[in-house]
Amino acid sequence: MLRIATNQVYDRNIFAMQRAQTQMHQTQLQVASGRKMVVPSDDPVRAARSLELQQSQSVNQQFLENIGYAKDVLGLTDTRLTQMSDTLQYLRDKFVQAGTGALTASDRAALAQDLRSQLANLVGLANSQDGQGNYLFGGFKNDRPPIAWGDHDGNPVTPDRYYYQGDANVKQMQVGAARRIDANVPGSSASGPGGLFDADQSTFVAGPPTQYPLARFFNDLQDAIDALDPATAGATTIHAASAGIAAVDRFLARVQQYTAKVGSQLAELDALTEMGKALDLDYAQARSRIEDLDYTEALSRLAQQQMVLSAAQQSFVKVSNLSLFQYL
């Protein structure tokens, strides 16, 4: 017959009650936090998988933030390009009007004044900024407006012209694991005429004196207006109108080229946004399956553990009172 010492009875009962208390306390922590794993050691495998999902979700959310920023900038760029296109179309209509050949000197002067005003408006659009003060069409340069008028090379003999103060760099945003997208339209090209304003960045010299590339499209329009204005005319009205129409068409074609590109990028970003939101939901659901507590099961388990602990405590009280001396 197996004999159990009094100390063993006490030790075993105390151990059973401590274990029941620990289990109940763990369940209480789960209920309070709403999580299956209060600390990673509760389930290291699940904890590792949860961390992987959390990191992947964080990366995806950063992509969504980048997409949002790119959409804001490109949306504003698209608006300014559309306004440029409208202004250029107005300029073209006026140059066509100037080519009728029946204009008086005062008519030409009035047209020239109107054209100069619209050219100034075009310069203002070229120097547009986003909400953070960055120039939309200046590349990486944000310390000064991209388009300026005056001495571009520090030579007092050279006549004043429109010149470009930005650079040819393209800002790119990481919008996917393997996708970067252009988030700006520079006004110049790194080699040869190009960019939105047909400026040759290779002619830039840091100086001193600094030599900036000329903004060809603006200067072509300026020359055509000067040729139309009786105060500065150096050619016939018909020649000025023809030159003006050609200058507008070259500029307008470049604006439309970039408008199409920006529109395509915005459409792609819309698609990436929907994909990113769907992926974020997938990550959230996967994490929920691993981390979130089933309250129905947990509360049932807690009630059972409370009952077990209570029974253990009551039985221990009864067992601890058993003694032969009570019957002597």
Side-chain angles (χ1 to χ4, degrees):
M1 180 177 180
L2 179 65
R3 299 181 60 186
I4 300 176
T6 302
N7 286 341
Q8 288 180 304
V9 172
Y10 276 86
D11 289 343
R12 289 184 179 182
N13 278 276
I14 291 173
F15 175 76
M17 286 189 293
Q18 288 176 336
R19 183 175 59 184
Q21 285 179 323
T22 300
Q23 292 173 342
M24 188 177 71
H25 177 66
Q26 177 68 18
T27 303
Q28 288 174 325
L29 290 177
Q30 289 178 332
V31 171
S33 65
R35 297 170 60 87
K36 294 178 183 177
M37 299 172 293
V38 180
V39 293
S41 58
D42 292 340
D43 192 332
V45 175
R46 283 178 174 268
R49 177 56 180 157
S50 175
L51 181 59
E52 290 176 0
L53 289 170
Q54 182 179 356
Q55 291 173 339
S56 297
Q57 187 176 24
S58 296
V59 171
N60 184 63
Q61 288 173 345
Q62 182 61 59
F63 288 152
L64 285 171
E65 290 182 12
N66 292 350
I67 290 172
Y69 172 77
K71 287 175 69 174
D72 290 342
V73 174
L74 289 175
L76 182 57
T77 301
D78 184 58
T79 299
R80 294 294 180 262
L81 289 172
T82 300
Q83 292 171 334
M84 284 186 188
S85 182
D86 293 341
T87 302
L88 286 166
Q89 189 59 57
Y90 181 89
L91 286 166
R92 194 181 197 284
D93 293 342
K94 291 301 179 180
F95 278 119
V96 170
Q97 181 182 344
T100 60
L103 300 179
T104 65
S106 60
D107 291 335
R108 292 171 59 193
L111 268 176
Q113 182 178 1
D114 186 13
L115 289 168
R116 292 187 196 281
S117 176
Q118 293 302 315
L119 180 57
N121 180 48
L122 199 60
V123 171
L125 292 172
N127 291 332
S128 296
Q129 295 173 280
D130 62 17
Q132 298 179 350
N134 301 318
Y135 289 102
L136 295 176
F137 308 110
F140 286 175
K141 294 288 187 68
N142 291 308
D143 58 337
R144 62 193 67 189
I147 297 298
W149 168 262
D151 181 9
H152 79 286
D153 58 2
N155 186 347
V157 178
T158 306
D160 289 346
R161 302 295 280 167
Y162 283 107
Y163 59 94
Y164 179 68
Q165 300 184 104
D167 58 37
N169 292 315
V170 177
K171 301 173 184 177
Q172 291 192 320
M173 295 294 296
Q174 190 81 34
V175 295
R179 182 68 174 103
R180 298 173 67 88
I181 199 164
D182 296 346
N184 74 317
V185 174
S188 68
S189 173
S191 58
L196 182 60
F197 308 133
D198 212 29
D200 183 358
Q201 195 64 38
S202 65
T203 63
F204 174 78
V205 179
T210 301
Q211 180 174 331
Y212 293 99
L214 294 174
R216 177 190 169 197
F217 288 151
F218 289 96
N219 289 318
D220 289 348
L221 290 172
Q222 179 67 41
D223 292 343
I225 295 171
D226 287 344
L228 177 65
D229 191 344
T232 56
T236 64
T237 303
I238 295 178
H239 175 77
S242 177
I245 292 171
V248 168
D249 287 346
R250 287 192 295 269
F251 201 165
L252 189 58
R254 189 66 56 83
V255 170
Q256 291 173 341
Q257 172 188 339
Y258 280 107
T259 300
K261 178 183 178 181
V262 170
S264 175
Q265 289 174 316
L266 286 171
E268 181 183 356
L269 289 174
D270 286 338
L272 287 172
T273 298
E274 295 304 315
M275 291 173 58
K277 288 180 178 178
L279 187 58
D280 188 69
L281 180 60
D282 290 342
Y283 284 135
Q285 290 174 341
R287 289 183 61 190
S288 177
R289 287 192 295 269
I290 294 175
E291 300 174 3
D292 292 349
L293 183 68
D294 182 348
Y295 274 97
T296 301
E297 183 275 333
L299 291 174
S300 298
R301 177 160 34 93
L302 180 61
Q304 182 184 26
Q305 290 168 342
Q306 289 173 331
M307 182 180 65
V308 170
L309 178 60
S310 177
Q313 291 171 334
Q314 291 176 16
S315 64
F316 178 69
V317 170
K318 291 181 180 181
V319 171
S320 63
N321 288 329
L322 294 178
S323 171
L324 291 177
F325 291 105
Q326 295 177 359
Y327 300 97
L328 295 177

